[in-house]
Amino acid sequence: MLRLAGARLLDEKDYPAVRSLLATDPVGSCMVSARVELAGLAPWRLGGELWGTDGRRRGTSGLSGLCFAGPNLIPLRGNAAALRSFADRALRRPRACSSLVGPADQVLGLWDELGAEWGPAREVRPEQPLMALDTRPSVRPEEAVRPVRPEELDVYFPAAVAMFREEVGVDPRLGDGGAGYRARVSELIAAGRAFARFERGEVVFKAEIGAMSDTVGQIQGVWVHPRHRGAGLGAAGTAAVADRLVRGFGRIASLYVNSYNAPALAAYRRVGFREVGRYATVLF
């Protein structure tokens, strides 16, 4: 019998149960797994809270639902009752997250509970194939794609802004002049997880490894300069980053993409990515 008593704030004693549940879907849970592996469950280190619901389910060590509440709200597991309990906890305070993102059933189910209070959303993206690659890419990697060096931040940053504006629909420099976004980009460069091809002092391709757990790395921010689109650079550049993840870092390469972005979907399939799940995103 499944027993639920509302969502509770998880702490370090729940760490084994959390890791057990995350391991059941390493690709889908990469964003949260990367945080938990690095910081544990203490909110001040994790950068948010991890909520759980208790139950009796084989293989989950007592946890039946899991949701991360931080800069993004990421529901990873839970039935309808668990999603209602996550919504109840989220509605106890003003909304602080910029999006809901994660497995589509969880995100859309949670949005059904939150929409009346938090809506309307700026945009709902209900169909985002979650894709993975654990072998050598089918497309020859672009040899000129390499890690961005710290001294190249000023050249790389405008391309990162252009990508964000195209993908998210807002300028990441609004509010603080770009200081927060620039700091995040700088962190990725310093960690060796930002990649680009440069031509004549300009970025013509870029991508980053956003979250990286012990087993999976999630590629994000893939962008090709408008003058270079349609020539295969997106596929070859993504293949270079995926190859770095698989053969260099020993991780599964993953990414998710909007279902309406047919050119990107086709490019990732050419690279060898296969669909392993469905994500959804609600943007505020």
Side-chain angles (χ1 to χ4, degrees):
M1 174 181 291
L2 180 65
R3 295 198 293 268
L4 289 171
R8 63 181 177 87
L9 177 64
L10 303 181
D11 57 30
E12 293 298 342
K13 69 177 181 296
D14 298 297
Y15 185 80
V18 169
R19 290 298 304 272
S20 178
L21 192 149
L22 292 173
T24 64
D25 183 11
V27 175
S29 66
C30 176
M31 288 186 286
V32 176
S33 293
R35 286 176 174 268
V36 169
E37 291 165 5
L38 181 65
L41 302 189
W44 66 272
R45 291 197 303 266
L46 189 62
E49 296 180 349
L50 205 57
W51 304 337
T53 56
D54 296 308
R56 300 287 184 180
R57 284 189 176 176
R58 183 176 299 174
T60 62
S61 303
L63 281 178
S64 62
L66 191 66
C67 182
F68 173 74
N72 304 300
L73 191 61
I74 309 175
L76 290 176
R77 179 73 63 84
N79 61 14
L83 294 176
R84 285 194 295 272
S85 69
F86 294 148
D88 177 69
R89 193 170 186 104
L91 291 171
R92 294 177 192 174
R93 54 193 177 190
R95 177 182 63 80
C97 61
S98 61
S99 72
L100 272 67
V101 62
D105 289 347
Q106 306 299 310
V107 167
L108 298 177
L110 184 55
W111 182 237
D112 284 344
E113 301 290 336
L114 293 171
E117 295 291 331
W118 281 9
R122 182 166 57 84
E123 185 179 354
V124 177
R125 300 177 177 178
E127 291 282 333
Q128 297 177 305
L130 176 66
M131 310 182 82
L133 175 69
D134 59 3
T135 62
R136 185 188 296 267
S138 302
V139 169
R140 182 176 180 178
E142 171 54 61
E143 295 180 357
V145 170
R146 60 168 176 79
V148 180
R149 295 187 287 265
E151 63 269 21
E152 294 171 322
L153 173 61
D154 287 341
V155 178
Y156 183 81
F157 187 66
V161 170
M163 177 282 304
F164 195 97
R165 291 177 64 180
E166 289 184 26
E167 174 62 25
V168 182
V170 297
D171 192 323
R173 297 168 297 184
L174 294 175
D176 64 356
Y181 186 59
R182 185 181 177 91
R184 172 59 177 158
V185 171
S186 181
E187 289 175 2
L188 290 170
I189 292 174
R193 286 160 47 184
F195 300 85
R197 173 178 164 178
F198 296 86
E199 285 189 5
R200 298 180 179 87
E202 184 178 54
V203 173
V204 298
F205 169 87
K206 68 163 290 292
E208 296 141 6
I209 301 169
M212 190 159 69
S213 71
D214 288 343
T215 57
V216 180
Q218 190 173 84
I219 298 172
Q220 66 178 31
V222 177
W223 180 85
V224 178
H225 193 287
R227 291 198 308 271
H228 295 262
R229 293 175 185 175
L233 181 54
T238 302
V241 180
D243 193 55
R244 180 67 64 96
L245 266 170
V246 173
R247 296 202 299 151
F249 294 134
R251 264 72 164 185
I252 297 169
S254 75
L255 52 82
Y256 62 100
V257 59
N258 295 313
S259 60
Y260 55 77
N261 192 344
L265 266 173
Y268 299 147
R269 287 170 177 153
R270 286 200 304 274
V271 172
F273 281 91
R274 68 190 188 282
E275 187 172 334
V276 297
R278 289 268 164 166
Y279 259 30
T281 302
V282 179
L283 297 169
F284 300 115

